[in-house]
């Protein structure tokens, strides 16, 4: 049988995914979300965002995909339409991926979202089938699931090219198998159903029993630029505890900066347990 230490990753010349931390604010308080571990609050200045987009626009190879938020909700920004349209205009060959709780997607906003040409993927974080579970899990009213359903139907009509995903972060702490099966059956009518196992990822209520030595795949494919210019490559570090440097004005160069190179080397040498933040994480 293979060993964990046989798994390593090459370092590409540029990231596949860029997440812009355009806002840290969100209406939901999902039990599985790592936002509650962070005190970082802010919005990315428009001038700073444009600077990053102009930088990425100069790359010879188009960016694989762009996500206009990290742990926030893009629709909390008053200028969200402008933000998405600017991304589309600057990076016409890069798909925009939108994770959302769907709370803001009334009919008018769905129409505006669908007017953005490079909007290609939307993931609704639903996480429940039953009303009681939804309200306890997300902190939002259960009627929001009806809004998500209507948004899915309208997107299908307006933009048949857009991939619709409905996701559940799954854990027996949150949902039963019956609820998980019902979720798949119901939401499968409207798009792709994604059941995502809840990772430990330094949550105080979820500690890994068996620590992994497998390198984290996200640090070899993704980069996040914080609203204040801080960099991370970690999926589960909303506070940006791991020091990955700051945006220099050249993101392609930053992708291979000494701090990120050191982080990847430690992971590829199967020594992630020497990094306090990575030691408590089960994501790989």
């Amino acid at each position: 049988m293979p060993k964990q230490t046989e798994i390593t990753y090459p370092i590409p010349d540029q990231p596949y995914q860029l997440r812009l931390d355009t806002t840290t604010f969100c209406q939901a308080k999902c039990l599985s979300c790592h936002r509650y571990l962070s005190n970082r609050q802010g919005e990315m200045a428009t001038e700073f965002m444009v600077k990053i987009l102009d930088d990425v626009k100069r790359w010879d190879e188009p960016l694989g995909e762009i996500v206009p938020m990290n742990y926030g909700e893009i629709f909390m920004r008053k200028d969200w339409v402008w933000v998405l349209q600017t991304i589309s205009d600057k990076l016409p060959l890069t798909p925009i991926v939108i994770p959302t709780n769907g709370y803001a997607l009334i009919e008018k906003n769905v129409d505006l979202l669908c007017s953005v040409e490079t909007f290609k993927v939307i993931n609704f974080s639903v996480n429940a089938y039953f009303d009681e579970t939804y309200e306890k899990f997300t902190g939002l009213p259960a009627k929001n699931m009806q809004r998500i359903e209507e948004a899915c139907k309208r997107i299908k009509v307006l933009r048949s090219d857009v991939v619709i995903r409905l996701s559940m972060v799954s854990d027996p702490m949150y949902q039963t198998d019956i609820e998980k099966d019902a979720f798949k059956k119901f939401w499968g009518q409207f798009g792709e159903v994604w059941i995502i196992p809840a990772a430990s990822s330094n949550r105080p209520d979820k500690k890994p029993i068996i620590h992994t030595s497998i390198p984290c795949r996200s640090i070899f494919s993704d980069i996040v630029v914080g609203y204040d210019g801080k960099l991370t490559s970690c999926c589960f570090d909303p506070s940006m505890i791991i020091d990955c440097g700051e945006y220099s004005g050249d993101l392609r160069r930053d992708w291979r900066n000494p701090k990120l190179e050191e982080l990847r080397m430690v992971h590829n040498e199967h020594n992630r347990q020497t990094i306090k933040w990575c030691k408590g994480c089960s994501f790989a």
Side-chain angles (χ1 to χ4, degrees):
M1 297 294 289
K3 298 179 180 180
Q4 292 188 15
T5 51
E6 294 176 358
I7 299 176
T8 59
Y9 294 110
I11 305 173
D13 292 333
Q14 65 187 47
Y16 174 78
Q17 183 192 86
L18 166 62
R19 297 197 296 279
L20 291 179
D21 191 22
T22 57
T23 182
T24 63
F25 299 102
C26 181
Q27 307 96 329
K29 296 180 179 178
C30 296
L31 295 177
S32 64
C33 184
H34 288 65
R35 282 182 67 252
Y36 83 94
L37 298 174
S38 175
N39 292 320
R40 278 174 57 84
Q41 291 188 344
E43 285 195 349
M44 183 176 286
T46 55
E47 297 84 359
F48 183 48
M49 186 193 75
V50 169
K51 179 180 179 180
I52 298 168
L53 294 175
D54 283 338
D55 172 18
V56 175
K57 183 180 179 180
R58 292 191 290 267
W59 294 2
D60 293 334
E61 292 293 326
L63 180 68
E65 64 182 29
I66 187 166
V67 184
M69 73 285 292
N70 188 32
Y71 271 91
E73 175 76 14
I74 183 64
F75 303 107
M76 292 288 283
R77 286 189 64 123
K78 294 180 180 179
D79 62 349
W80 67 267
V81 179
W82 180 88
V83 168
L84 296 182
Q85 191 58 57
T86 300
I87 293 172
S88 184
D89 292 342
K90 297 282 185 181
L91 305 177
L93 300 179
T94 299
I96 297 175
V97 179
I98 306 283
T100 179
N101 57 48
Y103 188 80
L105 287 180
I106 58 175
E107 183 175 304
K108 177 185 72 173
N109 287 341
V110 172
D111 292 356
L112 289 169
L113 176 61
C114 288
S115 71
V116 179
E117 186 176 352
T118 60
F119 159 55
K120 295 295 182 182
V121 180
I122 189 165
N123 179 64
F124 290 100
S125 300
V126 187
N127 296 308
Y129 173 75
F130 297 117
D131 288 357
E132 301 94 329
T133 311
Y134 184 82
E135 292 187 346
K136 289 180 180 179
F137 189 100
T138 67
L140 297 174
K143 64 182 180 181
N144 193 55
M145 288 192 286
Q146 179 65 35
R147 181 169 293 178
I148 292 172
E149 180 181 337
E150 294 303 319
C152 289
K153 292 176 181 177
R154 191 154 186 83
I155 291 169
K156 282 178 176 286
V157 171
L158 297 176
R159 290 287 301 275
S160 60
D161 59 310
V162 169
V163 176
I164 300 173
R165 296 172 183 154
L166 297 306
S167 66
M168 169 189 276
V169 176
S170 175
D171 192 299
M173 291 174 62
Y174 309 135
Q175 313 98 345
T176 63
D177 285 345
I178 287 176
E179 180 157 17
K180 185 164 62 174
D181 291 342
F183 181 93
K184 292 177 184 177
K185 183 176 180 180
F186 178 78
W187 290 106
Q189 304 173 79
F190 306 106
E192 300 176 359
V193 171
W194 281 30
I195 305 296
I196 306 167
S200 297
S201 312
N202 289 289
R203 291 176 57 92
D205 57 340
K206 286 186 68 66
K207 300 289 185 181
I209 296 174
I210 301 174
H211 293 279
T212 183
S213 62
I214 299 173
C216 175
R217 62 184 182 271
S218 72
I219 64 175
F220 294 87
S221 63
D222 309 345
I223 195 163
V224 181
V225 181
Y227 67 85
D228 53 1
K230 288 186 177 180
L231 299 176
T232 188
S233 229
C234 175
C235 297
F236 297 107
D237 186 13
S239 296
M240 296 191 170
I241 290 171
I242 302 176
D243 184 6
C244 296
E246 296 189 2
Y247 177 63
S248 69
D250 186 340
L251 191 61
R252 202 165 183 267
R253 182 178 63 194
D254 295 337
W255 171 247
R256 301 295 297 265
N257 75 27
K259 292 179 178 179
L260 279 168
E261 292 286 81
E262 174 70 15
L263 178 65
R264 296 183 188 114
M265 182 186 72
V266 171
H267 273 249
N268 263 344
E269 291 178 348
H270 305 97
N271 290 321
R272 64 185 287 171
Q273 300 304 318
T274 63
I275 303 171
K276 183 178 180 180
W277 189 256
C278 301
K279 179 180 180 179
C281 182
S282 63
F283 185 79

